[in-house]
Amino acid sequence: MTSQSTITESAGHASSRKAAKGTKLSKAARREKGMSRIPGNPSRKFWVYLIPGVIMLAWIILVPTVWNFYLSFTHYRGIKPPTWAGGYNWNKLVHDATFWISFRNSIWMIIAMVVIPIVLGLLVSSLLFDVVQKKFGAKTASTLRAVYYLPQLLPIAVAALAMGWILRPDKGALNSLLQAIGLGNLQHNWLGSPDTALIFLMIIMIWIQLGYPVVIFMSGLQRVDPELYEAADLDGANWFQRFRAITLPSIKPEIFVVALTCTIAALKVFAPVYMLTKGGPGTSTMVPSYYSYSQFFQTQQVGYGAAISTALTVVIVIVSIVFTNVQQKAEREDEE
Amino acid sequence: MTTATAHSQDYKKLAKVKKNRSAGDWTALVILIVGGLVMLFPLIVILLNAFKTSGDYNTAGPLSWPKEFSLTGVVKFWNASNFPEKVWNSVWTSGLVAILAVLLSILNSFALGIGRVKGRRWIVLLIMLANMMPQEALLYPLYIMFKAIGLYNSQWTIVIIFTVIQSAFGTYLLSSVYGTFPRAILEAATLDGASRWKILKDIVFPISRPTLSVMLVFFFIWTWNEYMIPMAFLVDNSTQTVPIAVSALSGDKLMDVTTTAAASLLSIIPTLIFFLLFQRTLSRGITSGAVK
């Protein structure tokens, strides 16, 4: 205890006070700078635990990130060594209409992979937790939860394959279904026409994503004291009132986690586009990740691909910093 | 640990079903079931066609009930892809990634959440870069580096890369959970004179186990389902994972639709079993380690 006080207290403090605090730490002293949450252990003694993580991170992520940034200033076709190109790729990027279209489509992907799944996920999870689990049993609730989670279990390659085949114009399941119920004239090449490709890609992404918020939100709701709901019930609060007063505030941390991870996933989305539409028809479903991939590996414009992916990384990093700022602010407000 | 029992008590309390169901309750159930059927529709279509003959499919279309139960598609994919080999490749790489990524997340989060090292917010963001980087941006540098050390076309590349990528999310989640780790327990441990390592091993690890097992399940499924990096690094047929084997079909024009359906079905069975085994883990909650 004494050694801890020596570390935590600034030199200006009188030794008599030190002795007094040695036995019983005040709340302010607990939050002393440079101290860990374990009493008597300064933060700097914890660096050693970060060593393996930081070495791995540097090797797999940081070095390639810097490397990729460097490549964006070069002409490189993958075979002969890269040659310096200065700002050529970046200048090209700013004037490239396809690049801007790909980011516009990213906004649609955020709507399909973040906004709609979170709204629907809140609805589904709170109905499952607050109504179904209580009135129809935990088993019904967990079965339904598993159903909503199922698409998340599909490898994206499989989900895309199955969906592409359901939506294909010739004998696809959707067209067959329309035919069967007498709406045959509505048959369409859903993913092959510029007017419907993006909207159907979005529907597929909603279908894939929805289970993730449902599972995370429901697990967050387990934390909530059931007596809160019972008390609200006795006060005659309806489902929506309970939702706003109890459900929503309780799972705020989970909403942040889901929103951030899904936004990153939406900005990075690649495999469904690669497997279903290849960005087309034309550029109607072009997204940044697929665009840079096609530059990297199809036209072998590695330098230009690197510029696109660097731009995408910068956007993702900015979004993440803004996000965690808001999150921290919200957490601090909650503490007060 | 006290919360774990408290939670199971809550759970029991909730398990007692109240029978006074109102019309609104039934409406909610019906909406959820209809929504569930929409979610299941693609899987129902896969199931309907996985056991059809291609002749049957060509005449009756994708929505009819199979005229006869045929295993042709399943057998064809099983043999063409050497399915057991692909499952084994996926199981051991995903399993190892899940375990290693959880361990790495624990070490990182102990320093960040409990150790509260200086600049922890920026360190978390730096670690999260693993999650933020578009994977195609990593491919060229990683390809050159792994080729130089002779690990190209080896599943160990997948294990190493995804351990780092998954542990980024793990560190983000777990360090905030450890940031609210009950101080009373940590204080009690120091009174017993436990070292930092002992506190991590004997107190923090067991108490946060519910969160860790949810992370383990997610990491396994996410790694299993990964597409771009395994496709780029595992060029040999014998090293490939299940999703790559299935997607190889879509490029193969000789494969008919019923084989594709059978392949899709086969490929989800292992993850489905894994998920059902760990269903209960998920309900215990990602943040239940944090005592409020």
Side-chain angles (χ1 to χ4, degrees), chain A residues 15 30 103 118 135 141 153 166 211 280 300 328:
Chain A
S15 55
R30 278 181 181 178
F103 269 98
I118 285 181
K135 301 291 177 69
L153 292 176
I166 284 167
Q300 303 284 323
Q328 276 205 329

PDB file of all heavy atoms in Angstrom, chain A residues 15 30 103 118 135 141 153 166 211 280 300 328:
ATOM      1  N   SER A  15       3.604  13.851   3.495  1.00  0.00           N
ATOM      2  CA  SER A  15       3.714  12.428   3.805  1.00  0.00           C
ATOM      3  C   SER A  15       2.665  12.000   4.825  1.00  0.00           C
ATOM      4  O   SER A  15       2.247  10.857   4.880  1.00  0.00           O
ATOM      5  CB  SER A  15       5.118  12.107   4.317  1.00  0.00           C
ATOM      6  OG  SER A  15       5.406  12.940   5.414  1.00  0.00           O
ATOM      7  N   ARG A  30      -8.500   6.926  -6.302  1.00  0.00           N
ATOM      8  CA  ARG A  30      -8.664   5.707  -7.098  1.00  0.00           C
ATOM      9  C   ARG A  30      -8.505   5.988  -8.575  1.00  0.00           C
ATOM     10  O   ARG A  30      -8.001   5.184  -9.321  1.00  0.00           O
ATOM     11  CB  ARG A  30     -10.061   5.144  -6.895  1.00  0.00           C
ATOM     12  CG  ARG A  30     -10.228   4.321  -5.651  1.00  0.00           C
ATOM     13  CD  ARG A  30     -11.647   3.857  -5.649  1.00  0.00           C
ATOM     14  NE  ARG A  30     -11.927   3.056  -4.478  1.00  0.00           N
ATOM     15  CZ  ARG A  30     -13.135   2.565  -4.235  1.00  0.00           C
ATOM     16  NH1 ARG A  30     -14.117   2.797  -5.083  1.00  0.00           N
ATOM     17  NH2 ARG A  30     -13.346   1.843  -3.172  1.00  0.00           N
ATOM     18  N   PHE A 103     -18.855   5.224 -54.158  1.00  0.00           N
ATOM     19  CA  PHE A 103     -19.118   5.716 -52.806  1.00  0.00           C
ATOM     20  C   PHE A 103     -20.582   6.094 -52.596  1.00  0.00           C
ATOM     21  O   PHE A 103     -21.107   5.969 -51.496  1.00  0.00           O
ATOM     22  CB  PHE A 103     -18.195   6.891 -52.465  1.00  0.00           C
ATOM     23  CG  PHE A 103     -16.925   6.436 -51.821  1.00  0.00           C
ATOM     24  CD1 PHE A 103     -15.769   6.295 -52.560  1.00  0.00           C
ATOM     25  CD2 PHE A 103     -16.906   6.086 -50.484  1.00  0.00           C
ATOM     26  CE1 PHE A 103     -14.604   5.834 -51.973  1.00  0.00           C
ATOM     27  CE2 PHE A 103     -15.756   5.624 -49.884  1.00  0.00           C
ATOM     28  CZ  PHE A 103     -14.599   5.504 -50.635  1.00  0.00           C
ATOM     29  N   ILE A 118     -30.729  -2.566 -38.019  1.00  0.00           N
ATOM     30  CA  ILE A 118     -30.800  -2.142 -36.613  1.00  0.00           C
ATOM     31  C   ILE A 118     -32.243  -1.840 -36.229  1.00  0.00           C
ATOM     32  O   ILE A 118     -32.728  -2.274 -35.178  1.00  0.00           O
ATOM     33  CB  ILE A 118     -29.883  -0.932 -36.340  1.00  0.00           C
ATOM     34  CG1 ILE A 118     -28.426  -1.406 -36.299  1.00  0.00           C
ATOM     35  CG2 ILE A 118     -30.245  -0.253 -35.019  1.00  0.00           C
ATOM     36  CD1 ILE A 118     -27.424  -0.320 -36.014  1.00  0.00           C
ATOM     37  N   LYS A 135     -44.797 -14.627 -22.929  1.00  0.00           N
ATOM     38  CA  LYS A 135     -46.142 -15.164 -23.090  1.00  0.00           C
ATOM     39  C   LYS A 135     -46.165 -16.529 -23.777  1.00  0.00           C
ATOM     40  O   LYS A 135     -47.126 -17.276 -23.641  1.00  0.00           O
ATOM     41  CB  LYS A 135     -47.007 -14.186 -23.901  1.00  0.00           C
ATOM     42  CG  LYS A 135     -47.145 -12.804 -23.275  1.00  0.00           C
ATOM     43  CD  LYS A 135     -47.968 -12.861 -22.013  1.00  0.00           C
ATOM     44  CE  LYS A 135     -48.077 -11.510 -21.318  1.00  0.00           C
ATOM     45  NZ  LYS A 135     -48.862 -10.524 -22.035  1.00  0.00           N
ATOM     46  N   ALA A 141     -39.124 -18.414 -28.193  1.00  0.00           N
ATOM     47  CA  ALA A 141     -38.297 -17.232 -28.470  1.00  0.00           C
ATOM     48  C   ALA A 141     -36.942 -17.636 -29.031  1.00  0.00           C
ATOM     49  O   ALA A 141     -36.475 -17.054 -30.019  1.00  0.00           O
ATOM     50  CB  ALA A 141     -38.124 -16.407 -27.198  1.00  0.00           C
ATOM     51  N   LEU A 153     -25.260 -17.646 -40.663  1.00  0.00           N
ATOM     52  CA  LEU A 153     -24.433 -18.848 -40.630  1.00  0.00           C
ATOM     53  C   LEU A 153     -23.967 -19.260 -42.015  1.00  0.00           C
ATOM     54  O   LEU A 153     -23.018 -20.008 -42.160  1.00  0.00           O
ATOM     55  CB  LEU A 153     -25.222 -20.011 -40.024  1.00  0.00           C
ATOM     56  CG  LEU A 153     -25.565 -19.904 -38.550  1.00  0.00           C
ATOM     57  CD1 LEU A 153     -26.433 -21.079 -38.142  1.00  0.00           C
ATOM     58  CD2 LEU A 153     -24.292 -19.899 -37.728  1.00  0.00           C
ATOM     59  N   ILE A 166     -31.869 -18.010 -57.021  1.00  0.00           N
ATOM     60  CA  ILE A 166     -33.290 -17.722 -56.803  1.00  0.00           C
ATOM     61  C   ILE A 166     -33.745 -16.568 -57.689  1.00  0.00           C
ATOM     62  O   ILE A 166     -34.853 -16.553 -58.219  1.00  0.00           O
ATOM     63  CB  ILE A 166     -33.534 -17.390 -55.309  1.00  0.00           C
ATOM     64  CG1 ILE A 166     -33.510 -18.686 -54.491  1.00  0.00           C
ATOM     65  CG2 ILE A 166     -34.859 -16.659 -55.106  1.00  0.00           C
ATOM     66  CD1 ILE A 166     -33.422 -18.468 -53.014  1.00  0.00           C
ATOM     67  N   GLY A 211     -29.902 -11.032 -38.684  1.00  0.00           N
ATOM     68  CA  GLY A 211     -29.693 -11.912 -37.535  1.00  0.00           C
ATOM     69  C   GLY A 211     -28.651 -11.409 -36.550  1.00  0.00           C
ATOM     70  O   GLY A 211     -28.731 -11.686 -35.350  1.00  0.00           O
ATOM     71  N   GLY A 280     -22.082  -4.560 -61.757  1.00  0.00           N
ATOM     72  CA  GLY A 280     -22.933  -4.153 -62.855  1.00  0.00           C
ATOM     73  C   GLY A 280     -24.406  -4.353 -62.592  1.00  0.00           C
ATOM     74  O   GLY A 280     -24.776  -4.633 -61.473  1.00  0.00           O
ATOM     75  N   GLN A 300      -4.951  -5.154 -63.521  1.00  0.00           N
ATOM     76  CA  GLN A 300      -3.552  -5.095 -63.041  1.00  0.00           C
ATOM     77  C   GLN A 300      -3.041  -3.671 -62.876  1.00  0.00           C
ATOM     78  O   GLN A 300      -1.863  -3.414 -63.049  1.00  0.00           O
ATOM     79  CB  GLN A 300      -2.626  -5.881 -63.979  1.00  0.00           C
ATOM     80  CG  GLN A 300      -2.999  -7.323 -64.173  1.00  0.00           C
ATOM     81  CD  GLN A 300      -2.630  -8.189 -62.978  1.00  0.00           C
ATOM     82  OE1 GLN A 300      -1.615  -7.991 -62.353  1.00  0.00           O
ATOM     83  NE2 GLN A 300      -3.470  -9.154 -62.655  1.00  0.00           N
ATOM     84  N   GLN A 328     -18.148   7.427 -26.623  1.00  0.00           N
ATOM     85  CA  GLN A 328     -17.556   7.812 -25.343  1.00  0.00           C
ATOM     86  C   GLN A 328     -18.352   8.905 -24.664  1.00  0.00           C
ATOM     87  O   GLN A 328     -18.566   8.870 -23.455  1.00  0.00           O
ATOM     88  CB  GLN A 328     -16.128   8.304 -25.569  1.00  0.00           C
ATOM     89  CG  GLN A 328     -15.127   7.161 -25.634  1.00  0.00           C
ATOM     90  CD  GLN A 328     -13.748   7.630 -25.254  1.00  0.00           C
ATOM     91  OE1 GLN A 328     -13.382   8.781 -25.485  1.00  0.00           O
ATOM     92  NE2 GLN A 328     -12.961   6.742 -24.665  1.00  0.00           N
TER      93      GLN A 328
END
